[in-house]
Amino acid sequence: MNTRQRRAAQHGLINRPAARMAQALGVPRVMPNPACVPGSLQRCEHALVDQALNAALYDYECRIAARFEAIVGTLKAISAIQHTPDFVARAQAMARANLGFELPETVLAQAWVAGLDMRRLHAHCVLRSFKSCVEQAADDKAPWLAQEAIDGDFLRACGFHTVDVTPCADGRLQGLLPFVFRMAPGPEIVVKANAGALFDIESDMHDWAQREILRLSGGLSEGSEEGTYLKIAVYHFSSAAPAHQGCAAHASKDAAACHAALERLAALRMAIDSTFGRGAAPATLLIGLDTDLDAIRLHTPDAAGRIEAGRFIDAGAVYRATNGIDRDAARAALRREVAARAADGMASGMQALVERLLEANLSQIEYVIRHHAGRYAELGHDEHFICAGEAPTDVQIRNMYYFAHLDTVEEGTADLDVGIEIFKGLNLSQGLAIPVLVHFCHDQHVPGGRDRAVQRCRRVKAAIEERYAALAAQGRLHCQMAVSDRNGAERCCFIEDAPGQGAGAGDRA
């Protein structure tokens, strides 16, 4: 049971059924050994681990979790006083004190008629708590942002002006940059999650071309003039339950997930070379993530950019092999491991990045050892809500939301259906509604862009409620719309649900 589940249980919320589900599926209770087991004879303190950064990230994890853990206890306390004369005022005071925001006034005011709509209040609180995380993101990240092992300056020194990362959209990969990679978010780094890491070739070609134009026109950061575009695809697997907790988009078949991501990378390189001339293709890197341990596999390219599925560096194995030796010896062993893979001509900048990613991931492996007993207690889905549309990137933490990337509901039907099925177990089985955030981005420099993003939100929300009409009619599906400015300060701005309302001041809730 993880921290969130443990505190929820203390509030009396029925525990999520993941353990019972795992038992029914035949997942073994005794898991394979992680990189190191706390309490064993082996000391779990690697010389290359950044302990200060681990402490700062754990504080960040706890701070984010606390904003959601307070919801159930607060709503139970509010429910207990709903028939008192001064109920609305007392309820709002409790919400402000415990959650940091007020509840919908109309829901509270109507409680005397048919009782509180707890499903709606719970869904509202989940999404409003996420909005609070977005609003406080800069302050939350400040203690650890500058400590990250990889930043824009390092990437430019490696020869990369842009790093475009496509992880699987699974919620377990949402802490990929700051935790798993120890990479500081910045304008040089683009993250676009897709189910199964199956990014769209044409869309990525457009993104590559746009960044290349910016580079040639001087629109990127200083020092990027001679840099290269790097595309990273991240597939995932489960070492403890490979047949059940791997990538759902590939039916938990690890080899299929790896090969599919590899094929997309090769197809992108071929498409750009064929369109813009041989040699134009971006550099590529394939990374596998064991979501149980947060240990990565680095599939390194050769001189020609070729990557092989069976050829990789396993960070978990490196941790085990170098744990217990001094810092210099451990770093020398790590560099030898990377150099052995670079013997066939891997570019020097790529080699430097691979070395830094590998060393940085040792800190995350030990983070999971120290704070999660060596392996996450919840191996699978444990998200708070479904996000449909474009993913907000301000909050980067494991299992925050299930993401369905889409422009229209029709094209995202499969992903949405999977999300609804997941939340039937996570929320509906507990009597709670499914919170859905419909989120799209706009560019403040494009006239009318915000209006179009708002209308897009409304169309998608209406289509979701139509597709899952029974759930919506029963109050078991709660949708909230929001927009963000890609290049401005507006982040996750909630949109009022008035049918004829435009994108004026009334939308800026």
Side-chain angles (χ1 to χ4, degrees):
M1 184 183 294
N2 60 28
T3 304
R4 191 167 92 202
Q5 293 167 322
R6 188 159 47 249
R7 294 187 183 179
Q10 290 171 355
H11 287 308
L13 181 65
I14 299 174
N15 204 17
R16 296 184 186 274
R20 294 195 301 274
M21 185 184 301
Q23 185 176 4
L25 291 171
V27 177
R29 296 189 62 174
V30 179
M31 305 299 184
N33 289 334
C36 190
V37 180
S40 65
L41 295 178
Q42 182 185 20
R43 193 174 181 185
C44 303
E45 289 187 14
H46 197 286
L48 294 178
V49 166
D50 188 335
Q51 302 292 355
L53 179 54
N54 274 6
L57 285 171
Y58 184 62
D59 179 71
Y60 173 71
E61 180 185 351
C62 292
R63 187 178 306 179
I64 298 298
R67 293 180 186 138
F68 294 88
E69 289 162 359
I71 293 173
V72 171
T74 301
L75 291 182
K76 282 192 170 187
I78 288 173
S79 178
I81 64 167
Q82 63 182 289
H83 299 298
T84 57
D86 55 349
F87 166 63
V88 174
R90 291 179 64 189
Q92 295 290 33
M94 291 171 66
R96 286 193 300 269
N98 298 339
L99 304 176
F101 53 82
E102 291 192 345
L103 302 176
E105 192 85 9
T106 53
V107 178
L108 299 180
Q110 293 170 1
W112 69 275
V113 179
L116 278 175
D117 186 344
M118 299 306 297
R119 287 173 174 164
R120 182 176 173 185
L121 285 180
H122 180 268
H124 171 86
C125 288
V126 166
L127 297 175
R128 187 58 184 81
S129 294
F130 176 71
K131 181 175 171 64
S132 296
C133 291
V134 171
E135 292 169 346
Q136 300 175 63
D139 290 339
D140 289 341
K141 294 176 181 178
W144 52 261
L145 198 58
Q147 299 181 52
E148 293 284 27
I150 300 172
D151 59 12
D153 290 339
F154 177 77
L155 292 172
R156 283 187 291 275
C158 291
F160 302 116
H161 66 72
T162 299
V163 176
D164 180 336
V165 185
T166 292
C168 178
D170 190 294
R172 291 169 289 181
L173 280 72
Q174 284 167 0
L176 187 71
L177 252 60
F179 286 85
V180 178
F181 288 176
R182 301 298 168 102
M183 187 180 286
E188 306 84 2
I189 303 166
V190 180
V191 180
K192 300 174 297 185
N194 285 91
L198 299 176
F199 55 88
D200 182 79
I201 301 295
E202 285 76 16
S203 176
D204 270 53
M205 287 179 67
H206 176 271
D207 293 340
W208 170 86
Q210 184 180 47
R211 296 294 288 189
E212 285 298 301
I213 290 171
L214 286 172
R215 178 181 68 84
L216 294 170
S217 65
L220 297 182
S221 303
E222 185 177 352
S224 300
E225 298 83 2
E226 302 301 322
T228 300
Y229 191 102
L230 171 62
K231 177 68 182 185
I232 302 176
V234 186
Y235 69 95
H236 66 100
F237 59 96
S238 166
S239 57
H244 307 292
Q245 298 295 354
C247 183
H250 300 289
S252 287
K253 296 178 180 178
D254 301 346
C258 176
H259 283 285
L262 187 55
E263 288 172 0
R264 287 295 164 105
L265 291 175
L268 177 64
R269 284 176 55 84
M270 183 181 297
I272 291 177
D273 269 349
S274 300
T275 305
F276 297 95
R278 190 167 181 79
T284 55
L285 180 63
L286 178 64
I287 298 179
L289 173 63
D290 181 348
T291 54
D292 304 345
L293 314 177
D294 275 354
I296 61 175
R297 292 176 178 173
L298 290 151
H299 297 257
T300 55
D302 62 16
R306 290 186 297 266
I307 300 172
E308 297 178 9
R311 187 170 171 276
F312 56 83
I313 304 170
D314 185 336
V318 171
Y319 183 98
R320 286 187 289 270
T322 56
N323 187 26
I325 62 178
D326 66 53
R327 186 178 184 84
D328 291 340
R331 182 164 287 137
L334 183 151
R335 287 176 174 167
R336 284 196 301 272
E337 182 73 19
V338 177
R341 299 299 195 281
D344 54 2
M346 180 169 38
S348 59
M350 180 67 77
Q351 184 172 342
L353 176 59
V354 168
E355 286 181 1
R356 186 65 65 91
L357 281 168
L358 182 57
E359 180 172 331
N361 188 236
L362 301 181
S363 290
Q364 181 60 18
I365 290 171
E366 192 160 300
Y367 179 95
V368 177
I369 290 168
R370 183 175 295 272
H371 300 298
H372 296 279
R375 187 184 299 277
Y376 286 109
E378 179 52 73
L379 297 181
H381 292 279
D382 196 32
E383 294 96 331
H384 292 288
F385 61 95
I386 295 173
C387 178
E390 297 177 84
T393 58
D394 304 85
V395 183
Q396 296 174 337
I397 200 104
R398 175 185 170 95
N399 266 343
M400 173 58 70
Y401 53 81
Y402 171 87
F403 178 56
H405 176 83
L406 54 85
D407 292 313
T408 65
V409 169
E410 288 76 17
E411 74 168 4
T413 292
D415 285 351
L416 278 172
D417 287 347
V418 170
I420 294 295
E421 285 301 313
I422 288 168
F423 273 82
K424 284 181 180 178
L426 293 179
N427 280 38
L428 295 188
S429 66
Q430 312 299 326
L432 301 172
I434 301 174
V436 179
L437 178 68
V438 179
H439 176 264
F440 286 102
C441 297
H442 66 93
D443 186 337
Q444 62 176 336
H445 300 118
V446 179
R450 190 178 192 276
D451 287 356
R452 288 188 291 274
V454 170
Q455 293 307 317
R456 201 174 176 188
C457 282
R458 291 196 168 119
R459 285 195 300 270
V460 169
K461 176 178 181 288
I464 289 173
E465 291 176 339
E466 180 180 357
R467 179 168 183 82
Y468 309 107
L471 292 177
Q474 296 164 7
R476 299 198 294 168
L477 181 74
H478 177 80
C479 290
Q480 173 67 60
M481 302 173 292
V483 296
S484 297
D485 185 351
R486 290 188 185 92
N487 300 303
E490 184 179 52
R491 290 289 186 272
C492 197
C493 178
F494 282 2
I495 304 302
E496 296 296 331
D497 200 17
Q501 187 173 346
D507 283 332
R508 300 180 184 275

